[in-house]
């Protein structure tokens, strides 16, 4: 397994018929591992994929070298079936790879510049929340900009409701209330977001771009990079919609995220 070649007839390659997880590993210890495995299991149940044995999955993080690594897991339905028809007895294929990782503390401290994307996400409630291999919408959205100062693009659905960033979730504080887009129709439920919601009152809602313009603070976040506060939001044409100054209102959520991922609070510029 590991980096072995994937056969031409693998259904993940041919149809995106599978799932993936991207896990931060610190000195051989996976971060938010139970949340990642729970999401993988939800996705497998949704797609009708047998899960790999728990002992196989649990042994993988220990293969990492020291320091920070990112473990990417790919689980496909394997080979077989005719066309889109799935095989009667699937034989899932598990692949993985470790990549050295270095976080970007400057983005934690100073915030990031993001923009709206032209692309609108389609609705498919059956796939909403899970991390399936069909990510062409995200790929097309990421092609919309090349400017290095833009850290992320924000995605909306066909009704112009906020959903997520291209590779991160979105949270904002408006009128003192933490909010995040509803992910019942599309989008990925990130493991950092789901874990933060166990510790903080983050309310899922349907909201348009006005919610961000009204927000006192906002963040994009995932389980590898942590929480980046937004410093500037542009529209899809590059016009500035909002600027935020970094202040104490940005730090509470970040402190929780840092603690969950094992990053130091001092990296936020705090004592």
């Amino acid at each position: 397994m590991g980096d072995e070649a994937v056969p031409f007839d693998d259904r993940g390659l041919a149809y995106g018929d599978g799932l993936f997880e991207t896990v931060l590993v610190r000195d051989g210890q996976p971060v938010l591992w139970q949340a990642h495995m729970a999401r993988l299991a939800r996705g497998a149940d949704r797609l009708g994929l047998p899960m790999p044995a728990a002992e196989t999955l649990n042994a993988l993080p220990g293969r990492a070298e020291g320091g920070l690594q990112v473990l990417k897991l790919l689980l496909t339905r394997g080979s077989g079936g005719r066309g889109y028809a799935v095989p009667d007895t699937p034989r899932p294929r598990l692949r993985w790879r470790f990549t050295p990782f270095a976080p970007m503390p400057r983005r934690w401290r100073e915030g990031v510049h993001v923009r709206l994307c032209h692309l609108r996400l389609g609705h498919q409630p059956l796939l909403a929340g899970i991390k399936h291999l069909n990510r062409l919408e995200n790929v097309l959205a990421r092609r919309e900009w090349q400017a290095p100062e833009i850290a992320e693009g924000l995605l909306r659905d066909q009704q112009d409701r906020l959903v997520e960033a291209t590779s991160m979730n979105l949270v904002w504080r408006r009128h003192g209330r933490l909010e995040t887009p509803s992910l019942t129709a599309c989008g990925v439920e990130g493991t950092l977001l789901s874990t933060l919601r166990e510790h903080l009152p983050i309310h899922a809602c349907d909201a348009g771009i006005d919610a961000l313009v009204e927000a006192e603070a906002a963040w994009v976040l995932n389980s590898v990079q942590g929480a980046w506060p937004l410093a500037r939001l542009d529209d899809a044409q590059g016009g500035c919609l909002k600027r935020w100054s970094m202040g104490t209102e940005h730090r509470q959520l970040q402190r929780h995220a840092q603690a969950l991922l094992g990053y130091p609070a001092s990296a936020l510029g705090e004592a």
Side-chain angles (χ1 to χ4, degrees):
M1 291 193 272
D3 278 344
E4 292 175 17
V6 173
F8 182 81
D9 63 353
D10 183 87
R11 297 182 63 87
L13 177 64
Y15 309 121
D17 188 3
L19 305 158
F20 73 105
E21 293 288 333
T22 308
V23 184
L24 184 67
V25 180
R26 188 184 303 277
D27 295 325
Q29 297 300 312
V31 179
L32 303 184
W33 182 247
Q34 295 306 316
H36 282 288
M37 291 300 98
R39 184 175 61 184
L40 186 66
R42 288 195 301 273
D45 180 67
R46 202 87 61 86
L47 297 185
L49 289 177
M51 275 284 282
E55 54 267 27
T56 299
L57 291 169
N58 291 335
L60 293 181
R63 297 170 179 254
E65 298 177 0
L68 283 180
Q69 302 271 318
V70 170
L71 165 62
K72 184 167 185 176
L73 295 173
L74 296 175
L75 177 65
T76 78
R77 200 182 301 273
S79 304
R82 185 175 181 84
Y84 292 131
V86 302
D88 293 333
T89 307
R91 299 182 62 185
R93 185 169 283 119
L94 179 66
R95 294 291 184 267
W96 66 86
R97 173 177 290 179
F98 291 98
T99 305
F101 175 71
M104 291 180 266
R106 183 174 179 178
R107 291 185 172 183
W108 295 334
R109 294 190 301 270
E110 300 179 8
V112 294
H113 184 172
V114 303
R115 53 157 279 170
L116 296 177
C117 293
H118 292 284
L119 182 138
R120 300 296 193 272
L121 295 173
H123 285 184
Q124 179 44 267
L126 187 61
L127 298 178
I130 66 175
K131 203 163 184 179
H132 58 79
L133 289 176
N134 269 299
R135 305 257 64 98
L136 276 178
E137 290 174 314
N138 303 68
V139 171
L140 291 174
R142 184 58 186 85
R143 290 187 67 238
E144 292 187 21
W145 81 93
Q146 300 299 324
E149 66 269 19
I150 305 295
E152 258 289 12
L154 303 187
L155 294 165
R156 294 165 286 172
D157 68 6
Q158 302 294 321
Q159 285 73 48
D160 281 342
R161 292 176 295 210
L162 292 165
V163 180
E164 61 188 0
T166 59
S167 62
M168 306 178 88
N169 286 122
L170 176 64
V171 177
W172 61 87
R173 178 182 286 111
R174 179 171 54 154
H175 308 310
R177 169 184 160 110
L178 289 172
E179 297 176 332
T180 193
S182 172
L183 300 176
T184 57
C186 54
V188 176
E189 184 180 2
T191 54
L192 178 57
L193 175 62
S194 62
T195 307
L196 278 170
R197 294 184 71 185
E198 298 173 6
H199 298 265
L200 297 171
I202 303 175
H203 305 276
C205 64
D206 292 327
I209 193 61
D210 288 349
L212 273 185
V213 174
E214 296 169 2
E216 300 93 47
W219 306 263
V220 287
L221 51 93
N222 66 29
S223 62
V224 173
Q225 297 287 0
W228 295 341
L230 302 194
R232 173 173 167 168
L233 168 66
D234 287 356
D235 62 23
Q237 288 72 43
C240 181
L241 293 175
K242 174 85 174 188
R243 293 180 187 269
W244 290 267
S245 296
M246 296 300 102
T248 56
E249 65 271 17
H250 292 85
R251 301 311 184 193
Q252 180 190 19
L253 181 138
Q254 279 190 288
R255 285 195 296 270
H256 281 278
Q258 297 289 100
L260 288 170
L261 299 181
Y263 292 133
S266 59
L268 304 179
E270 300 179 324

